[in-house]
Amino acid sequence: MMLLGLLLVLGLAGLALVAFMDNDGLFTASVGSVELFGYDATLSVGEVFLIGAAAGALLLVGLFMLFGGAGRRARRRMAARRELQAQRAENLALKRKHDTIATELAAQRAAEAGAADAEREVEAARAARDAKLARDAAEAESDERVSTR
C-alpha cells in the first residue's frame, strides 16, 4: 500500500511539473502542445488548472495511502513490541517461580537428608548404647563368674 501511494505521488509530481513548465499564457490562452507518454494535447490555461486540481486531489489520495500504510505498520510494530514485552515479563515471572520452587525443593531435600542423617545418628547411638549395654552385661556376667569361683 505504501509503495503504491509513493508511486502515485511521484507520477503526479512529474505530471504537475510538465504542466507547469508548459504554462506560459493567460487563463484562456493556449498553453501549447503537451506531450506525455507519446500523446500530444493542446491545452488552455483553464484546462491546465483543472488538471492541476485533479493532480492535487490524487496527490492527497496518494499521501493518505502512504501515511495510512505507515501508520498501520507502526501500529503492528507497537503491538508486536508490547507482545514481546509481555512474553519477556511472563518468562521472567516463570523463571522467578522456577527459582523459588527449586530453592524450596533443595531446602526440603536438605531437611529430608538432615532428618535421614539424624535418624542414622539416632540408630548409631542406639546401636552404640546397645553394644555398651551388651558389653556391660557381658562384663557383669564375667565378674559374677569370677566372683562365684
Side-chain angles (χ1 to χ4, degrees), residues 12-146:
L12 292 173
L15 180 63
L17 182 64
V18 168
F20 177 75
M21 297 301 284
D22 286 339
N23 187 9
D24 58 355
L26 297 173
F27 186 71
T28 57
S30 175
V31 175
S33 168
V34 177
E35 184 179 338
L36 186 63
F37 301 116
Y39 295 103
D40 286 331
T42 304
L43 302 172
S44 68
V45 175
E47 291 170 337
V48 170
F49 176 76
L50 291 177
I51 290 172
L58 288 176
L59 179 71
L60 288 176
V61 168
L63 288 173
F64 177 75
M65 291 170 64
L66 179 71
F67 291 123
R72 271 192 299 280
R73 187 172 179 198
R75 283 189 297 271
R76 275 190 242 141
R77 258 187 276 136
M78 286 175 53
R81 208 174 286 137
R82 281 189 209 120
E83 185 177 337
L84 181 62
Q85 287 175 347
Q87 287 175 351
R88 286 181 179 165
E90 183 180 357
N91 285 345
L92 184 61
L94 287 174
K95 185 176 180 183
R96 286 179 182 160
K97 185 175 180 181
H98 176 265
D99 290 344
T100 303
I101 290 172
T103 304
E104 289 174 0
L105 181 61
Q108 184 180 6
R109 284 182 179 166
E112 287 175 358
D117 288 343
E119 189 174 310
R120 278 189 232 125
E121 289 176 13
V122 168
E123 287 178 4
R126 284 183 188 159
R129 187 186 61 202
D130 290 342
K132 184 176 183 204
L133 288 174
R135 269 192 317 242
D136 288 345
E139 286 178 11
E141 277 183 31
S142 86
D143 285 344
E144 281 182 11
R145 284 186 197 157
V146 169

